[in-house]
């Protein structure tokens, strides 16, 4: 979001901690937002009514009125003003409650990276924009349909007016034969060029007139025959026909679907009066509106598709460095993200290839969450961990008394995953017998629990994973071809960590943030991260995570080739040295030079994480910003 756009957006920060409000306000104001503050829930509600913010950042634990009460108070306005909950990691249950009340997102304290908060604000603004766009688009569609309907009504009124004119001309017929001939000529001309159907019938539904268009449609002259039988193929009067209203002297307008030819029609039925003012016949003017109906259906379907696409895009919103819970921004990972989105839009089976520790289960869970099955269960099965004598009962379940120890019914994995996703990790470990039975179950043949004779069906999507070369297993006969081609529909290949080493700093920062560190966030120096990027990581991301946690706990990583620290005894390793510019340098200039060098050194060591550096220096974030600006950093 550019500064010009950000300046148009107002953020209300409601938090009882002054330092949190000031930190958030300073960062967002630096990013171009207009920020207002409130120190508790009551003041926050007052400010909310006064400033009409675009986004609200709301703390949950506050005196007088907590965040959940504030959410309940503004529940009717959450569609226009998204709320991002800011809460401590220890009270995530409150954050879940807030999401159920309608909060858009939540960010946990302490806020290590304000860029995450800014991204959440931008996402919230983008969501509001999308909602407003959809609302405008829906209004546009309604206006378009209303305009077309009005046009059809206008044409119908024109036809009614023409019919009234014809009735006047028929009255004139009794006065003069010449007027009758003129009137008949006009009527014949109108009927001949009219693109719809016109017919008249009496109270017994016998046709006495059909126009040429209708005669061609039904295949000949049908005068004297029953209208609903000849025209619509029905034994009884048409369910849409309002003949009782017409013979009561009223004009009726309706739309109906003709099953005989599969088309939609708009019909105007009007009475035809005799010389004494009685209703003599029913006259029907019918227009084919199938194209209009098809257009309306297409517009509705298109709107539903756009709505569903927007839902998927919002739920799979990516940042620059992650996709949901998957960390990485390298080119190989971007390709993985694209494949995940394609898999999420489909209901086909997926197989994930990758070495151990590359995150196959995390990818499978992401596909499930983004798919239409995301609200259903995600069931994980480690195929290599189930003994062969138990594997059938684990997958298909069993009934009470099926074998010794079966003292109650137990559902299997297929029952548990019904309607959702079954993640089969290390699918290459399945024996051939189980492959045959699973193939039958997923192809619609169903399965039978042990001890039962009733065949059950399960609606499941299989996401399989393996670190084996399944084609080699096919050639050796350890894996069935029919089962392989059934699950090998959408393959996804996960890169090993050594092929995307540019993602290692992001992964390290993520693992450090997730590690239980108490009040102070641990720091992994840049030289350690650089050494990690030189290592090939045969255990992939899992090995990296364990190494980061071991380094945080023990302060050492024994397999990395780390650069040796300085041998100077009076200067700690990594501490910036200070050399005066000359013997006559003033003390204040020397102090300023050292302060600039020390701040710059700390920023580099902490990847320019300004909040973390301010904490290490023992100063507030605003003071650090002021010094960085003064020193040109």
């Amino acid at each position: 979001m550019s500064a010009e756009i950000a300046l148009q957006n107002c953020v209300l920060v409601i938090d009882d901690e002054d330092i949190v409000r000031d930190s958030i306000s300073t960062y967002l104001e630096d990013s171009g937002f207009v920020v207002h503050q409130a120190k508790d829930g009551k003041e926050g509600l007052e400010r909310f009514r006064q400033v009409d913010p675009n986004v609200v950042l709301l703390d949950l634990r506050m005196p007088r009125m907590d965040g959940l009460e504030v959410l309940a108070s503004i529940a009717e306005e959450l569609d226009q003003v998204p709320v991002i909950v800011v809460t401590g990691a220890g009270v995530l249950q409150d954050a879940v409650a807030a999401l159920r009340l309608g909060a858009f997102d939540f960010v946990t304290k302490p806020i290590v990276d304000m860029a995450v908060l800014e991204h959440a604000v931008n996402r919230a603004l983008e969501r509001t924009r999308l909602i407003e766009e959809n609302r405008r688009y829906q209004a546009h569609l309604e206006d378009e349909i209303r305009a077309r309907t009005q046009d059809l009504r206008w044409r119908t009124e024109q036809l009614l007016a023409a019919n009234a004119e014809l009735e006047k001309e028929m009255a004139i017929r009794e006065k003069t034969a010449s007027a009758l001939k003129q009137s008949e000529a006009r009527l014949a001309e109108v009927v001949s060029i009219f693109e719809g159907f016109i017919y008249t019938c009496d109270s017994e539904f016998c046709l006495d007139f059909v126009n040429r268009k209708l005669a061609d449609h039904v295949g000949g002259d049908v005068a004297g025959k029953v209208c609903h039988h000849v025209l619509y193929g029905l034994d009884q009067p048409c369910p849409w026909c309002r003949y009782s209203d017409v013979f009561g002297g009223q004009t009726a307008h309706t739309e109906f679907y003709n099953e005989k030819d599969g088309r939609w029609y708009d019909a105007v039925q009007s009475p035809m009066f005799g010389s004494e003012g009685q209703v003599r016949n029913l006259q029907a003017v019918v227009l084919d509106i199938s194209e209009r109906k098809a257009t309306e259906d297409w517009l509705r379907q298109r709107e539903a598709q756009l709505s569903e696409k927007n839902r998927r895009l919002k739920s799979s919103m990516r940042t620059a460095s992650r996709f949901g819970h998957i960390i990485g921004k390298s080119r190989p990972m971007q390709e993985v993200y694209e494949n995940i989105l394609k898999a999420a839009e489909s209901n086909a089976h997926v197989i994930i290839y990758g070495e151990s520790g590359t995150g196959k289960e995390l990818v499978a869970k992401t596909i499930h969450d983004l798919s239409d099955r995301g609200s259903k269960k995600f069931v994980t099965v480690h195929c290599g961990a189930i003994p062969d004598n138990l594997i059938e009962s684990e997958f298909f379940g069993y009934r009470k008394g099926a074998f010794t120890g079966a003292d109650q019914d137990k559902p299997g994995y297929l029952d548990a995953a019904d309607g959702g996703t079954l993640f089969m990790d290390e699918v290459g470990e399945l024996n051939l017998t189980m492959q045959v039975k699973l193939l039958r179950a997923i192809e619609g043949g169903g399965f039978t629990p042990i001890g039962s004779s009733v065949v059950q069906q399960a609606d499941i999507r299989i996401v399989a994973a393996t670190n084996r070369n399944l084609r080699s297993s096919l050639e050796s006969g350890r894996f069935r071809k029919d089962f392989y081609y059934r699950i090998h529909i959408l393959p996804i290949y996960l890169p090993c960590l050594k092929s995307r080493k540019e993602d290692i700093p992001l992964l390290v920062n993520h693992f450090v943030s997730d590690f239980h560190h108490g009040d102070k966030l641990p720091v992994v120096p840049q030289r350690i991260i650089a050494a990690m990027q030189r290592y090939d990581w045969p255990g992939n991301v899992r090995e990296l995570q364990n190494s980061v946690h071991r380094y945080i706990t023990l302060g050492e990583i024994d397999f990395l080739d780390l650069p040796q620290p300085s041998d100077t005894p009076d200067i700690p390793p990594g501490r910036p040295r200070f050399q005066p510019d000359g013997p006559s340098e003033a003390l204040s200039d020397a102090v300023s030079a050292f302060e600039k060098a020390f701040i710059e050194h700390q920023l580099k060591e902490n990847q320019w994480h300004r909040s973390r550096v301010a904490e290490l220096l023992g100063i507030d974030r605003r003071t650090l910003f002021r010094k960085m600006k003064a020193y040109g950093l």
Side-chain angles (χ1 to χ4, degrees):
M1 178 176 292
S2 65
E4 291 79 8
I5 297 177
L7 283 171
Q8 300 172 10
N9 292 292
C10 173
V11 179
L12 175 59
V13 181
I14 306 175
D15 198 302
D16 62 334
E17 297 182 50
D18 296 339
I19 187 171
V20 173
R21 292 200 314 275
D22 291 339
S23 298
I24 293 175
S25 299
T26 301
Y27 187 91
L28 293 181
E29 287 173 350
D30 290 343
S31 298
F33 291 90
V34 176
V35 182
H36 297 273
Q37 299 185 24
K39 63 184 178 182
D40 56 38
K42 287 188 175 296
E43 183 181 342
L45 282 179
E46 295 174 358
R47 297 291 289 165
F48 181 87
R49 304 303 179 193
Q50 294 171 359
V51 304
D52 191 19
N54 301 103
V55 181
V56 177
L57 299 179
L58 177 62
D59 186 18
L60 290 183
R61 296 294 178 88
M62 295 182 295
R64 296 207 297 168
M65 176 184 284
D66 63 18
L68 295 179
E69 292 178 281
V70 174
L71 266 178
S73 299
I74 62 174
E76 296 181 356
E77 303 180 55
L78 292 180
D79 283 342
Q80 292 79 28
V81 184
V83 175
I84 299 173
V85 172
V86 181
T87 184
V91 288
L92 289 181
Q93 66 276 13
D94 288 347
V96 173
L99 292 177
R100 290 174 177 168
L101 285 175
F104 170 72
D105 200 354
F106 74 92
V107 178
T108 58
K109 291 182 181 179
I111 303 176
V112 178
D113 189 353
M114 285 293 179
V116 174
L117 181 64
E118 181 183 0
H119 175 71
V121 172
N122 288 333
R123 284 181 57 228
L125 292 172
E126 178 66 9
R127 170 185 175 273
T128 303
R129 185 186 68 79
L130 289 174
I131 290 175
E132 183 59 27
E133 277 190 5
N134 285 339
R135 188 178 293 112
R136 289 199 302 269
Y137 183 66
Q138 182 178 1
H140 170 72
L141 290 179
E142 291 175 353
D143 292 340
E144 189 71 18
I145 294 173
R146 191 180 299 110
R148 296 189 181 188
T149 303
Q150 184 64 31
D151 181 65
L152 180 60
R153 289 176 178 173
W154 178 83
R155 293 184 182 183
T156 302
E157 291 173 357
Q158 294 295 312
L159 290 174
L160 290 174
N163 186 61
E165 184 66 24
L166 288 175
E167 290 180 355
K168 293 179 180 178
E169 292 177 357
M170 291 174 66
I172 298 174
R173 180 187 57 183
E174 299 176 357
K175 297 180 179 180
T176 173
S178 60
L180 175 61
K181 291 180 180 180
Q182 293 177 2
S183 177
E184 290 176 346
R186 291 180 184 178
L187 177 61
E189 182 180 359
V190 170
V191 171
S192 65
I193 64 174
F194 183 61
E195 288 297 322
F197 303 148
I198 300 177
Y199 63 89
T200 61
C201 63
D202 58 21
S203 59
E204 300 297 326
F205 305 104
C206 290
L207 292 167
D208 59 7
F209 171 79
V210 295
N211 68 339
R212 185 184 307 167
K213 182 79 172 181
L214 181 56
D216 293 340
H217 181 72
V218 298
D221 186 9
V222 291
K225 298 182 180 180
V226 177
C227 63
H228 52 261
H229 179 71
V230 174
L231 302 182
Y232 304 109
L234 300 176
D235 295 328
Q236 300 294 329
C238 303
W240 59 267
C241 182
R242 297 170 60 182
Y243 61 90
S244 58
D245 293 337
V246 174
F247 283 99
Q250 301 179 15
T251 297
H253 179 207
T254 186
E255 294 180 359
F256 67 94
Y257 177 77
N258 184 11
E259 295 184 353
K260 182 178 180 181
D261 58 6
R263 302 188 68 82
W264 279 92
Y265 294 92
D266 182 280
V268 176
Q269 297 173 292
S270 57
M272 297 180 64
F273 296 93
S275 58
E276 298 179 359
Q278 78 281 9
V279 178
R280 179 170 52 86
N281 281 346
L282 176 151
Q283 177 179 268
V285 179
V286 183
L287 284 174
D288 187 337
I289 59 170
S290 298
E291 292 185 2
R292 192 199 80 189
K293 282 289 186 180
T295 302
E296 292 175 356
D297 290 342
W298 180 86
L299 289 173
R300 283 191 291 268
Q301 294 173 7
R302 181 62 176 167
E303 182 182 5
Q305 292 172 357
L306 290 174
S307 176
E308 177 63 16
K309 186 175 181 180
N310 284 337
R311 184 193 69 80
R312 291 184 183 275
L313 289 176
K314 287 186 286 185
S315 64
S316 63
M317 191 68 68
R318 286 179 285 179
T319 66
S321 61
R322 66 188 300 156
F323 181 84
H325 296 290
I326 306 175
I327 307 299
K329 63 178 180 180
S330 61
R331 181 58 188 169
M333 291 306 297
Q334 292 296 324
E335 293 177 358
V336 171
Y337 299 158
E338 294 297 329
N339 289 330
I340 289 174
L341 282 177
K342 292 176 182 177
E345 293 174 356
S346 170
N347 199 37
H349 302 309
V350 180
I351 185 165
I352 305 170
Y353 294 96
E355 298 178 3
S356 294
T358 52
K360 296 187 287 295
E361 184 171 356
L362 185 58
V363 170
K365 185 64 167 62
T366 303
I367 293 173
H368 168 77
D369 291 341
L370 298 181
S371 71
D372 294 336
R373 298 173 178 263
S375 60
K376 303 295 184 179
K377 287 186 178 180
F378 176 81
V379 179
T380 300
V381 182
H382 297 282
C383 299
I386 307 175
D388 286 346
N389 60 333
L390 297 178
I391 192 167
E392 184 174 351
S393 64
E394 290 296 316
F395 271 94
F396 300 145
Y398 55 79
R399 294 291 177 261
K400 181 179 179 180
F403 49 82
T404 303
D407 55 355
Q408 61 181 356
D409 292 349
K410 179 186 176 183
Y413 292 131
L414 270 65
D415 277 321
D418 189 20
T421 301
L422 180 65
F423 174 57
M424 299 175 59
D425 197 11
E426 299 305 334
V427 68
E429 302 295 334
L430 281 177
N431 61 48
L432 295 175
T433 302
M434 197 62 206
Q435 292 176 33
V436 173
K437 294 183 177 181
L438 276 176
L439 178 64
R440 181 175 182 272
I442 63 179
E443 285 188 337
F447 64 95
T448 305
I450 297 176
S452 173
S453 59
V454 179
V455 177
Q456 296 182 205
Q457 299 288 340
D459 174 22
I460 60 172
R461 182 192 194 180
I462 290 180
V463 179
T466 182
N467 58 8
R468 286 187 175 187
N469 184 348
L470 290 186
R471 290 194 176 274
S472 299
S473 300
L474 287 176
E475 295 172 359
S476 63
R478 290 178 299 174
F479 208 84
R480 294 179 59 90
K481 289 185 178 181
D482 48 5
F483 187 62
Y484 170 80
Y485 290 117
R486 188 60 178 170
I487 64 175
H488 188 89
I489 299 176
L490 299 176
I492 296 178
Y493 300 89
L494 299 188
C496 57
L497 185 55
K498 70 179 181 181
S499 66
R500 57 182 189 106
K501 290 185 177 181
E502 60 266 39
D503 291 334
I504 288 179
L506 298 173
L507 290 165
V508 171
N509 287 335
H510 172 70
F511 295 145
V512 169
S513 300
D514 278 0
F515 190 72
H516 182 70
H517 47 72
D519 295 333
K520 187 174 182 181
L521 185 68
V523 176
V524 179
Q526 186 63 37
R527 63 189 182 87
I528 300 295
I529 296 178
M532 288 179 173
Q533 288 182 289
R534 293 193 293 270
Y535 182 61
D536 282 343
W537 300 104
N540 293 295
V541 178
R542 186 181 295 117
E543 182 185 4
L544 174 64
Q545 180 181 16
N546 295 337
S547 298
V548 171
H549 290 176
R550 183 166 63 252
Y551 177 80
I552 294 173
T553 304
L554 303 177
E556 61 179 22
I557 301 180
D558 51 7
F559 57 83
L560 295 182
D561 182 18
L562 300 177
Q564 295 299 321
S566 172
D567 294 332
T568 305
D570 57 339
I571 300 179
R575 179 68 59 85
R577 299 174 180 270
F578 172 70
Q579 295 290 340
D581 293 337
S584 61
E585 184 177 11
L587 177 61
S588 60
D589 294 336
V591 171
S592 297
F594 178 79
E595 184 178 52
K596 175 183 177 182
F598 188 70
I599 291 175
E600 185 174 10
H601 166 74
Q602 291 290 353
L603 288 169
K604 290 179 178 178
E605 278 291 306
N606 292 278
Q607 294 84 49
W608 292 84
H609 196 299
R610 292 174 287 186
S611 297
R612 186 183 302 169
V613 171
E615 182 181 354
L616 292 174
L617 295 177
I619 59 178
D620 59 46
R621 194 164 175 268
R622 185 176 298 177
T623 301
L624 176 61
F625 283 174
R626 187 171 62 252
K627 289 183 179 294
M628 289 174 63
K629 184 175 181 180
Y631 292 134
L633 300 177

